[in-house]
C-alpha cells in the first residue's frame, strides 16, 4: 500500500515456517534429556491436558507424532486476529473457547496411522515447551534456536513490538494493504514467527552443517532424525520428518516447508548434502505465483537435482490481437449457466465472472493460459462439432468448463 521498498532487513511473517523452527527447539531439549520424542505428551503437559478420545483407539500422542503431523490431531491451521482485536490466551486456543476463532484442538483420528497436517498439533507442542521450561514460549525459542542460529532479525513475539514495526512488510490481500498492517497470531509455534529470508537461511544452514558433523548448535544424529520421514503404523514413511517435509535421497535429499498467513506467503527449501537451497518470502496473499517463478529460476541456474522446482516456471508466449480474438466472447459455466466474459487486453485474456474483479490470464500458447494472481489455468478445446470450449483448472484438476453462450 505504500512505496517504501523491502530490503534485506525487512521482517515478514513466516507463517508455517515457524513449525520446523519450533521442531528444532524440541529436538535440542531431547538432546539435553529434558524430553523424549516417543513419550505420551500428557506426561509433560501440566497447564492443560490433551483429552482422551475413543477415536484414539488406545494410542497415545507423542512429540514425534505432533511434529510430523501423524498424531491425528484436529485444526489444520489458523486465520489469525485483526490488529487491535481481543486475543485469546493459549489455553483458550487449545480448547476453542472465546475469543479464540478456531475449533478445539482434539484427537480426531488414530494417532500414528496417517499424515494429517495439523497446526493444532504444533500448538500443543507450544504449550508443552512452556510447561517443561517454565517460561514464555518466545523466550524458549530465542534461547534454543534464534540466538544459537544467529537469527538476529527474528522474534516470536505476538503482537509484533513497536520497536520492530518500522521495517516490517505490510500484508496484502488481493493487491490491497491489510488494515492495521497485518493479522496477529497467538498460535506462535504454528504461525507466529517474524523473520527475514536471511535468518531462515541461517537456520537451514545450521541444519546442513550439523548433518556434516560441523555444528556446535545441534548434533548430527538429531538432524538425521529431523530429515528422516517418520514411519506410519503400517511401516510406510509419512510425508514429514520431525519438522520439515522430506523428499529424495542421496544428493537429491531435500527438506522444505511453505507458509501462508493472511497477506503473506513464503517457502524454504534445503538440499543439505549439496549446501544448496533458497528462502523466498512475500507480503501478498497471491505471493506463491512469484515464489514459484523465483524457485524455478534458482533451480535451473544453480543446477538443483530435482526437476520439480524447474517445472514450476511458467513461460509466457506473445500472441497478437488476431490470435486472441477467436477466444473473446461471452461464455457460461457448464451446469449452472453462470455468465463469464472474456476480453483481450494487452496481449492477455481478461476473465470475469458476474461482478467479481476480472482475473488476468497470460498466454503460454495459443490455447493455454495461466493466471497472474492464482493457481488457476485456462485452456481452450474444440469439440467434434467445431465448438470452442474453455476449461479452468488448478493443481492439475479440472474445476469447471465454460461454454459459448447461444447469443454468440
Amino acid at each position: 500500500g505504500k512505496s517504501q521498498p523491502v530490503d534485506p532487513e525487512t521482517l515478514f511473517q513466516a507463517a508455517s515456517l515457524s513449525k520446523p523452527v519450533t521442531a528444532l527447539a524440541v529436538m535440542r531439549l531431547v538432546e539435553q534429556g529434558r524430553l523424549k520424542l516417543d513419550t505420551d505428551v500428557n506426561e509433560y503437559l501440566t497447564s492443560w491436558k490433551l483429552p482422551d478420545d475413543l477415536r484414539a483407539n488406545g494410542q497415545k500422542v507423542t512429540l514425534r507424532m505432533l511434529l510430523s503431523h501423524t498424531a491425528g490431531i484436529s485444526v489444520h491451521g489458523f486465520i489469525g486476529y485483526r490488529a487491535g482485536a481481543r486475543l485469546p490466551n493459549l489455553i483458550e486456543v487449545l480448547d476453542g473457547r472465546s475469543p479464540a476463532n478456531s475449533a478445539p484442538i482434539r484427537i480426531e483420528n488414530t494417532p500414528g496411522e496417517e499424515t494429517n497436517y495439523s497446526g493444532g498439533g504444533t500448538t500443543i507442542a507450544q504449550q508443552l515447551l512452556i510447561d517443561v521450561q517454565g517460561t514464555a514460549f518466545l523466550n524458549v525459542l530465542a534461547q534454543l534456536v534464534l540466538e544459537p542460529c544467529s537469527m538476529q532479525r527474528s522474534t516470536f513475539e505476538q503482537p509484533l513490538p513497536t520497536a520492530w514495526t518500522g521495517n516490517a512488510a505490510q500484508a496484502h490481500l488481493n493487491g490491497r494493504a491489510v488494515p492495521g498492517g497485518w493479522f496477529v497470531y497467538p498460535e506462535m509455534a504454528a504461525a507466529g514467527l517474524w523473520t527475514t529470508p536471511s535468518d531462515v537461511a541461517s537456520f537451514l544452514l545450521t541444519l546442513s552443517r550439523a548433518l556434516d558433523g560441523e555444528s556446535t548448535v545441534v548434533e548430527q544424529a538429531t538432524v538425521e532424525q529431523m530429515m528422516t520421514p517418520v514411519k506410519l503404523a503400517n511401516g510406510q514413511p509419512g510425508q514429514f520428518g520431525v519438522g520439515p517435509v522430506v523428499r529424495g535421497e542421496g544428493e537429491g535429499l531435500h527438506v522444505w516447508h511453505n507458509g501462508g498467513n493472511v497477506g503473506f506467503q513464503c517457502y524454504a527449501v534445503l538440499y543439505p548434502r549439496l549446501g544448496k537451497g533458497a528462502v523466498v518470502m512475500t507480503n501478498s496473499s497471491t505471493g506463491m505465483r512469484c515464489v514459484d517463478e523465483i524457485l524455478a529460476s534458482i533451480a535451473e541456474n544453480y543446477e538443483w537435482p530435482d526437476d520439480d522446482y524447474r517445472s514450476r516456471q511458467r513461460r509466457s508466449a506473445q500472441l497478437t490481437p488476431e490470435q486472441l480474438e477467436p477466444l473473446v466472447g461471452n461464455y457460461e459455466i457448464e451446469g449452472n449457466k453462470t455468465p463469464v466474459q472474456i476480453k483481450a487486453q494487452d496481449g492477455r485474456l481478461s476473465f470475469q465472472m458476474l461482478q467479481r474483479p476480472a482475473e488476468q490470464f497470460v498466454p503460454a500458447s495459443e490455447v493455454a493460459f495461466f493466471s497472474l494472481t492464482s493457481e488457476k489455468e485456462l485452456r481452450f478445446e474444440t469439440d467434434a462439432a467445431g465448438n470452442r470450449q474453455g476449461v479452468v483448472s488448478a493443481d492439475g484438476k479440472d474445476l469447471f468448463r465454460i461454454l459459448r453462450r447461444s447469443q454468440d
Side-chain angles (χ1 to χ4, degrees):
K2 299 179 182 179
S3 60
Q4 179 185 357
V6 300
D7 60 39
E9 300 297 309
T10 301
L11 295 175
F12 291 81
Q13 286 192 359
S16 288
L17 294 190
S18 307
K19 293 180 174 71
V21 176
T22 298
L24 180 58
V26 170
M27 295 303 288
R28 294 204 67 203
L29 290 179
V30 171
E31 285 184 351
Q32 296 171 19
R34 300 272 292 162
L35 295 173
K36 293 182 179 180
L37 284 179
D38 299 312
T39 294
D40 182 352
V41 294
N42 275 337
E43 293 190 21
Y44 296 118
L45 290 161
T46 56
S47 302
W48 176 88
K49 297 288 185 179
L50 175 63
D52 196 10
D53 194 291
L54 291 175
R55 289 171 292 185
N57 291 315
Q59 299 299 311
K60 301 301 182 182
V61 171
T62 69
L63 276 168
R64 190 187 302 276
M65 294 174 181
L66 292 178
L67 299 177
S68 62
H69 302 281
T70 59
I73 298 294
S74 64
V75 184
H76 179 89
F78 301 98
I79 62 174
Y81 299 81
R82 292 187 180 276
R86 182 183 166 209
L87 300 177
N89 61 41
L90 193 55
I91 301 298
E92 289 168 336
V93 172
L94 291 165
D95 285 333
R97 290 188 283 112
S98 180
N101 59 14
S102 52
I105 297 171
R106 298 291 188 264
I107 298 170
E108 61 179 7
N109 293 303
T110 304
E113 281 202 346
E114 60 184 8
T115 299
N116 182 26
Y117 189 88
S118 173
T122 311
T123 306
I124 294 173
Q126 178 178 338
Q127 185 63 62
L128 187 151
L129 286 171
I130 293 169
D131 288 346
V132 168
Q133 292 297 90
T135 187
F137 178 78
L138 63 96
N139 295 334
V140 175
L141 268 289
Q143 295 165 6
L144 292 174
V145 182
L146 303 186
E147 293 171 6
C149 293
S150 299
M151 300 174 71
Q152 299 173 351
R153 289 283 293 166
S154 300
T155 181
F156 274 91
E157 191 164 357
Q158 293 280 342
L160 185 66
T162 303
W164 293 73
T165 61
N167 192 10
Q170 300 284 301
H172 287 74
L173 273 174
N174 302 317
R176 297 189 177 187
V178 170
W182 44 74
F183 278 35
V184 180
Y185 292 84
E187 307 90 357
M188 300 174 191
L193 177 63
W194 281 92
T195 188
T196 68
S198 297
D199 270 15
V200 178
S202 182
F203 166 77
L204 294 177
L205 287 168
T206 298
L207 300 183
S208 183
R209 284 191 290 269
L211 204 58
D212 291 335
E214 299 176 355
S215 173
T216 58
V217 176
V218 59
E219 297 173 6
Q220 184 179 40
T222 298
V223 176
E224 287 175 347
Q225 280 198 80
M226 295 179 70
M227 296 186 183
T228 300
V230 171
K231 289 185 178 180
L232 304 176
N234 62 9
Q236 295 299 310
Q239 300 172 24
F240 289 81
V242 182
V245 182
V246 183
R247 292 286 186 275
E249 55 187 23
E251 289 193 346
L253 172 70
H254 58 287
V255 294
W256 63 269
H257 213 292
N258 58 4
N261 280 356
V262 174
F264 291 92
Q265 292 191 341
C266 54
Y267 196 101
V269 56
L270 169 71
Y271 287 84
R273 301 297 187 190
L274 301 176
K276 296 182 178 184
V279 183
V280 188
M281 309 189 79
T282 74
N283 56 328
S284 168
S285 58
T286 55
M288 281 307 297
R289 172 68 71 220
C290 181
V291 171
D292 283 346
E293 290 289 336
I294 291 171
L295 288 175
S297 294
I298 293 173
E300 184 172 341
N301 284 281
Y302 287 86
E303 299 180 338
W304 288 6
D306 192 342
D307 287 335
D308 176 59
Y309 291 101
R310 280 189 288 274
S311 67
R312 295 177 183 221
Q313 196 159 27
R314 309 284 187 99
R315 300 190 183 278
S316 60
Q318 301 296 319
L319 299 187
T320 66
E322 292 73 23
Q323 290 172 304
L324 291 172
E325 184 60 32
L327 309 176
V328 171
N330 296 311
Y331 295 76
E332 61 186 27
I333 295 179
E334 183 181 37
N336 62 25
K337 297 187 180 299
T338 300
V340 173
Q341 186 176 48
I342 294 181
K343 298 179 180 179
Q345 184 178 356
D346 299 326
R348 304 170 180 171
L349 290 181
S350 173
F351 183 102
Q352 187 169 26
M353 291 171 39
L354 299 173
Q355 301 302 313
R356 299 176 187 175
E359 190 166 2
Q360 300 297 309
F361 281 81
V362 175
S365 71
E366 291 189 32
V367 295
F369 298 76
F370 59 88
S371 171
L372 282 176
T373 55
S374 74
E375 298 301 312
K376 295 190 188 76
E377 296 180 348
L378 171 63
R379 70 180 187 275
F380 290 89
E381 302 172 347
T382 303
D383 64 17
N387 299 313
R388 192 180 294 275
Q389 305 174 359
V391 179
V392 176
S393 62
D395 296 326
K397 298 179 180 179
D398 291 349
L399 302 178
F400 56 85
R401 185 177 296 270
I402 57 174
L403 311 175
R404 287 278 193 179
R405 291 176 69 100
S406 57
Q407 58 263 42
D408 285 353

